[in-house]
Amino acid sequence: MAGASDTEPVSPETTTPQPSRRRRKKSLVWEHFTIEAVSGGCTRACCKLCKQTFAYSSGSKIAGTSHLKRHIALGSCPKIKNQEKKQLALTSGSKIDDTSSEPPPKRRYRISGFANAAFDQDVSCVYLAKMIIVHDYPLHMVEHPAFISFIQSLQPRFKMVDFNSIEAEILAIYHKEKQNLMQVFGTMPGRVSLTIGLWTTSQTLGYVCLTGQFIDSDWRLHRRMLNFMMVSSPHSENALSEVIGVSLSDWNMKSKLFTITLDNNCSSHDIYSANLRDHLSNKNTLMLKGQLFVVRCYAHILNVVAQDVIASIHGIIYNIRESVKFVKASLAREEKFAEIALQLEIPSTKTLSLDVTTQWNTTYLLLVAALEYKQAFTVLETCDDNYNEAPSTEDWKKVEIVCTYLKLLYDSANVIMATADPTANIFFHEAWKIQLELATATMNEDVLVSSIAKEMHEKFDKYWKDCSLVLAIAVVMDPRFKMKLVEFSFSKIYGADAARYVKVVDDSIHELYLEYVAQPLPLTPAYEEQGEATTNNINGNDSCRPATPASTGDGLLDFDLYLSEMAVNQPTKSELDQYLEESLVPRIQEFDILNWWKLNNLKYPTLSKMARDILAIPMSMVSTGSSIFASGTGSRVLDEYRSSLRPETVEALFCAKDWLQYLPTMAEPPSTAIVKMEM
């Protein structure tokens, strides 16, 4: 290397670190400190103002700068503290203590961190209200002495508001966010589908929760709470239809309603369905004559079926719970049980744990783990006189059968929960497999198997009959499956009668498509340049096509006429038929169906409108991030505190909490800049 002989190489191990040779320090703290070398290769940081020194490095270890920042920003430096005291005295008009012998600094300091952060009473009130909304705190906390003292210790200038003021602040946040959401709905390109949840109180009053789901112009799925309205009789036949009508008027969406998903007891579902169709069809244009209008919650039916089959062996489950309690009552018993399992060479790695009775998945996992150790429980009963809860051989057989079919529900629920934005197309896959398995099991030669399967199939079959059409139409909108999966699955379920059921789906989807064709298609920039004739051609209407083609001047006018006649004699296929006849899209694990329709929006302008509305149908009412296993069967109960609030306040709390979670972070953390000096 050139010049290598001019400079003797220096070993890094034997050279004392030179601060001046380090890369340039960017932290503002070094405007106020210098680095001084001390014995042993260590260095210390020295404050330029008060001359105090602090540890900085010892050999290869660096202490960092946090303690240096605190010295400057928090007023630990006596020079800065004295300067702030003088400045405060000047602004307040009081006398300055001149006893200090220290001369005034030559520079003026401006603290830009926490020391003089701007305080705004109104902004703080807004954040206090949002905190109460988001975390479900009681509004009366603003009157709790301990909370007031805590706030005063943080910011003495904050004047704590009373209950009425914080309630007004919450209502103001609600109305502001509602206006923002109304603007979003005003630009919504398609229709909205609703979910209806029922809430009861300790009083005779109840609440109805309405949530809207839709896909925006950028093909993103959204779910927003619309109303949380008090009704005197939430379970009456007319209550739901009246609430829905009021909500649609309130949000200016009378003509945009597509479907309604209910979470209610199976026995009342038919009453609700008929009542809602009759009432709302007079005010809204229901697609496909209302055949898709009322949808049942998929999570709800999974829970109903699971809880019913668990209840059918509640006595056995009680014994298993008591057995697990016995084993886990002491370390000695756990060790003895583990020794028995080792002697029996049980290969299971599952851990015995008690279940949460309100979440059936934990009960399923309890049973699965207990099954692995069934022999160990039997042996334990023979060698421990204090234990007599071991299930019998017949009991274990029932548990095994129940677990076999609970696994279908458990796996299906986990598939739904694992999907970040569950569009309607994914539910058909889950439902038809369960329907087939349960239907097949009802014909099992084993009487015990068939009896358990019949209990489960009875309710799931009702769900399948009510919702198989909307489930099938949704999966047809998945370009990986289209009608092919419907044909395949129906052949498994219906056998020789499959063609009849397939025809129902095919006819329905073509009829629905024609309803979308009849609707005006908004022009997109790509089509506006081509004029109305192009738009008519897209919709299959060629009445505006010119009688003779324009000549290109190449002497082939007769050929152009021939092509024109061929086009007349060979009608163009509809978008739907073209879509169905094209080959299936390869099945990849990370397929994004909404992005596929976004990319093919221009190719299928009418069909994509239909796909947008169908894929937005909420087949499950469980929101993203919630447990599908804990969704209630029927009404949920509003706690005593919220039941005591005014109905408009309750609605503001519930709706604003839902809306705020989709906003960006409420506030950036305060600046950590330390001190800047100005000349």
Side-chain angles (χ1 to χ4, degrees), residues 417-430:
M417 287 182 61
T419 307
D421 294 314
T423 45
N425 58 297
I426 70 172
F427 291 85
F428 182 83
H429 304 268
E430 305 307 316

Side-chain angles (χ1 to χ4, degrees), residues 549-617:
S551 174
T552 58
D554 56 4
L556 292 175
L557 179 59
D558 291 343
F559 177 63
D560 292 335
L561 290 171
Y562 168 74
L563 293 178
S564 179
E565 291 172 359
M566 288 291 292
V568 172
N569 295 328
Q570 187 177 2
T572 306
K573 291 181 180 178
S574 69
E575 290 178 27
L576 176 60
D577 289 332
Q578 181 184 346
Y579 165 79
L580 294 176
E581 291 176 12
E582 287 182 349
S583 59
L584 301 179
V585 172
R587 298 197 308 276
I588 58 175
Q589 189 172 4
E590 301 300 327
F591 179 73
D592 186 342
I593 188 171
L594 295 183
N595 188 56
W596 188 92
W597 279 104
K598 179 181 179 180
L599 295 175
N600 287 272
N601 187 35
L602 294 180
K603 183 178 180 180
Y604 304 115
T606 300
L607 187 61
S608 63
K609 285 182 60 181
M610 185 171 117
R612 173 184 273 115
D613 293 342
I614 292 172
L615 294 174
I617 297 174

Side-chain angles (χ1 to χ4, degrees), residues 49-116:
L49 299 176
C50 67
K51 305 305 180 183
Q52 291 187 49
T53 62
F54 303 86
Y56 179 61
S57 71
S58 59
S60 59
K61 294 184 180 180
I62 297 179
T65 59
S66 297
H67 59 308
L68 307 182
K69 293 176 182 178
R70 288 193 295 270
H71 178 73
I72 299 296
L74 301 182
S76 300
C77 179
K79 293 286 186 179
I80 295 179
K81 187 180 296 184
N82 188 54
Q83 182 68 17
E84 288 178 347
K85 186 186 299 184
K86 291 180 179 181
Q87 185 66 31
L88 181 63
L90 287 173
T91 55
S92 61
S94 59
K95 292 183 68 175
I96 301 174
D97 181 10
D98 291 322
T99 58
S100 174
S101 59
E102 298 291 342
K106 297 180 181 180
R107 292 180 176 179
R108 181 165 55 89
Y109 293 89
R110 175 168 57 87
I111 308 297
S112 58
F114 296 100
N116 72 333

Side-chain angles (χ1 to χ4, degrees), residues 111-178:
I111 308 297
S112 58
F114 296 100
N116 72 333
F119 168 71
D120 189 313
Q121 172 78 19
D122 294 336
V123 170
S124 296
C125 284
V126 170
Y127 283 128
L128 175 59
K130 287 183 178 180
M131 180 191 75
I132 290 173
I133 292 170
V134 171
H135 298 291
D136 297 325
Y137 294 141
L139 278 68
H140 283 87
M141 72 181 297
V142 298
E143 298 175 353
H144 295 171
F147 180 69
I148 296 173
S149 299
F150 171 67
I151 296 300
Q152 289 296 312
S153 71
L154 298 178
Q155 177 51 267
R157 287 182 288 174
F158 180 74
K159 183 179 180 182
M160 182 58 71
V161 294
D162 58 15
F163 173 85
N164 292 330
S165 299
I166 202 66
E167 184 181 41
E169 195 68 61
I170 289 170
L171 290 171
I173 292 172
Y174 162 75
H175 288 299
K176 176 185 176 182
E177 297 303 329
K178 183 175 181 178

